[in-house]
């Protein structure tokens, strides 16, 4: 079965950095686009970044462009989100996701809190 497990979240000060990881299993990871989403308290889940199966194409929400970098290591079945210059507005639960036939698959999420 498809399994996605996020890790790497935590409490950081504004301007700090974190690297999130998502370990994937149960499917041919190298053939699938992967995405990172986040959900802040009281808000809808939003797309943060996406990466094509080979890593050759990426896309980002305007709010994180220039600060976040999505990458993947297909040999390790892992997708990463490097987050730099973090702001309080980045506080959210971060989820990795892959598209499915009728619905997307999601991990359990990892909490990122940016606070002084």
């Amino acid at each position: 079965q498809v399994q996605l497990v996020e890790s790497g979240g935590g409490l950081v000060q504004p301007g700090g950095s974190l690297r999130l990881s998502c370990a994937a299993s149960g499917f041919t990871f190298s053939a699938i686009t992967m995405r990172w989403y986040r959900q802040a308290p009281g808000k809808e889940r939003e797309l943060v970044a996406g990466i094509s199966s080979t890593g050759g194409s990426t896309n980002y929400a305007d709010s994180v462009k220039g600060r976040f970098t999505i990458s993947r290591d297909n040999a390790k079945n892992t997708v990463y989100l490097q987050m730099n210059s973090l702001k309080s507005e980045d506080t959210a639960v971060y989820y990795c996701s892959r598209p499915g036939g009728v619905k997307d698959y999601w991990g359990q999420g990892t909490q990122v809190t940016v606070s002084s």
Side-chain angles (χ1 to χ4, degrees):
Q1 67 275 17
V2 172
Q3 188 171 15
L4 302 170
V5 181
E6 301 96 333
S7 61
L11 174 64
V12 297
Q13 296 185 68
S17 297
L18 283 173
R19 188 177 77 156
L20 307 184
S21 298
C22 174
S25 61
F27 63 98
T28 305
F29 179 79
S30 61
I32 301 296
T33 292
M34 296 297 296
R35 304 182 181 106
W36 284 97
Y37 288 78
R38 67 186 181 188
Q39 188 167 26
K43 293 189 175 182
E44 294 288 308
R45 193 176 302 181
E46 65 173 340
L47 177 65
V48 175
I51 187 166
S52 62
S53 60
T54 64
S57 181
T58 58
N59 62 278
Y60 300 92
D62 287 343
S63 59
V64 308
K65 283 181 179 177
R67 300 188 298 120
F68 290 11
T69 303
I70 188 171
S71 62
R72 66 193 296 158
D73 186 339
N74 285 349
K76 296 181 178 179
N77 282 11
T78 302
V79 60
Y80 304 96
L81 186 68
Q82 178 67 48
M83 305 186 296
N84 299 326
S85 302
L86 283 161
K87 306 174 180 180
S88 60
E89 308 96 272
D90 297 317
T91 295
V93 178
Y94 284 72
Y95 301 87
C96 68
S97 179
R98 60 145 287 184
V102 296
K103 68 178 182 67
D104 292 347
Y105 294 91
W106 303 89
Q108 84 289 348
T110 185
Q111 176 71 49
V112 172
T113 302
V114 185
S115 177
S116 299

